[in-house]
């Protein structure tokens, strides 16, 4: 098993992840409410840890909900179970320090401790320095990432 999964499945990392999600209102898993899960909390956390460690973890199906925006348009929201969010948060806790140092300093999207305001301040700084171009990648970019190459890159990064 990967040492990264061992780290993510540790009780310390899962406890950290749980503290981040303690106020989340999502169901624990398909057909199991958070309230029911909390009645046997230790069992469910230990089971998640074991599934991650053994590589047998399987995410629940994503639930989709239509939400009407103020403009009248409908947007589809995806909802993950709390169990899946906890696993994701634990893996993020392990991977983020590894990859954070590889990101370009001018990259702001989805990074801890960075905000839209910080990105705007950087753009303004570059404009003051005389730069006249800006590069932006839209959200559809992630659909174009070749996953086979990404997995190869990730496997050599640690």
């Amino acid at each position: 098993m990967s040492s990264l999964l061992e780290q993510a499945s540790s009780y310390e990392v899962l406890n950290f992840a749980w503290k981040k999600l303690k106020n989340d209102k999502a169901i624990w898993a398909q057909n199991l409410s958070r309230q029911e899960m909390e009645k046997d909390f230790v069992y469910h956390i230990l089971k998640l840890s074991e599934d991650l460690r053994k590589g047998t973890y399987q995410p629940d199906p994503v639930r989709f909900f239509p939400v009407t925006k103020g403009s009248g348009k409908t947007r589809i929201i995806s909802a993950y179970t709390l169990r899946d969010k906890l696993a994701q948060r634990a893996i993020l806790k392990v991977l983020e320090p590894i990859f954070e140092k590889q990101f370009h300093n001018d990259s702001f999207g989805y990074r801890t401790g960075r905000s839209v305001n910080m990105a705007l301040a950087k753009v303004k700084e570059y404009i003051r320095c005389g730069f006249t171009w800006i590069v932006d990648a839209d959200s559809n970019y992630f659909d174009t990432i070749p996953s086979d190459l990404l997995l190869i890159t990730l496997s050599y990064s640690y």
Side-chain angles (χ1 to χ4, degrees):
M1 180 208 26
S2 162
S3 65
L4 294 175
L5 283 178
E6 285 177 12
Q7 291 174 48
S9 66
S10 74
Y11 306 128
E12 294 80 14
V13 171
L14 288 173
N15 185 48
F16 169 86
W18 179 256
K19 286 179 180 178
K20 291 282 190 180
L21 296 167
K22 66 183 176 187
N23 295 323
D24 194 299
K25 304 290 187 228
I27 62 172
W28 172 251
Q30 193 173 20
N31 301 320
L32 184 63
S33 71
R34 179 182 174 141
Q35 292 76 21
E36 286 298 312
M37 171 272 202
E38 287 179 342
K39 290 178 183 175
D40 207 357
F41 179 80
V42 173
Y43 167 79
H44 291 289
I45 298 298
L46 291 174
K47 177 71 171 124
L48 175 59
S49 173
E50 178 184 354
D51 289 347
L52 288 170
R53 196 173 56 259
K54 288 183 175 181
T56 57
Y57 169 80
Q58 291 292 315
D60 284 319
V62 178
R63 296 169 297 137
F64 297 98
F65 301 97
V67 174
T68 304
K69 297 167 63 172
S71 64
K73 292 185 179 181
T74 300
R75 178 176 172 206
I76 303 298
I77 301 292
S78 55
Y80 296 92
T81 63
L82 186 53
R83 178 179 163 271
D84 292 342
K85 291 178 186 182
L86 186 62
Q88 292 168 358
R89 177 66 63 173
I91 291 168
L92 175 65
K93 172 74 171 157
V94 172
L95 292 180
E96 192 171 45
I98 295 169
F99 293 105
E100 182 62 30
K101 56 189 164 197
Q102 296 181 25
F103 292 143
H104 193 281
N105 193 45
D106 292 345
S107 174
F108 290 88
Y110 303 103
R111 290 178 67 190
T112 301
R114 292 176 178 246
S115 67
V116 171
N117 289 338
M118 293 170 75
L120 289 172
K122 181 60 79 172
V123 169
K124 289 176 183 177
E125 175 187 334
Y126 282 150
I127 290 170
R128 283 192 305 272
C129 291
F131 289 100
T132 57
W133 51 267
I134 296 174
V135 176
D136 184 26
D138 68 12
S139 61
N140 292 336
Y141 167 76
F142 293 102
D143 296 336
T144 67
I145 296 174
S147 58
D148 53 342
L149 295 177
L150 176 62
L151 291 173
I152 290 169
T153 302
L154 291 175
S155 70
Y156 290 114
S157 295
Y158 66 94

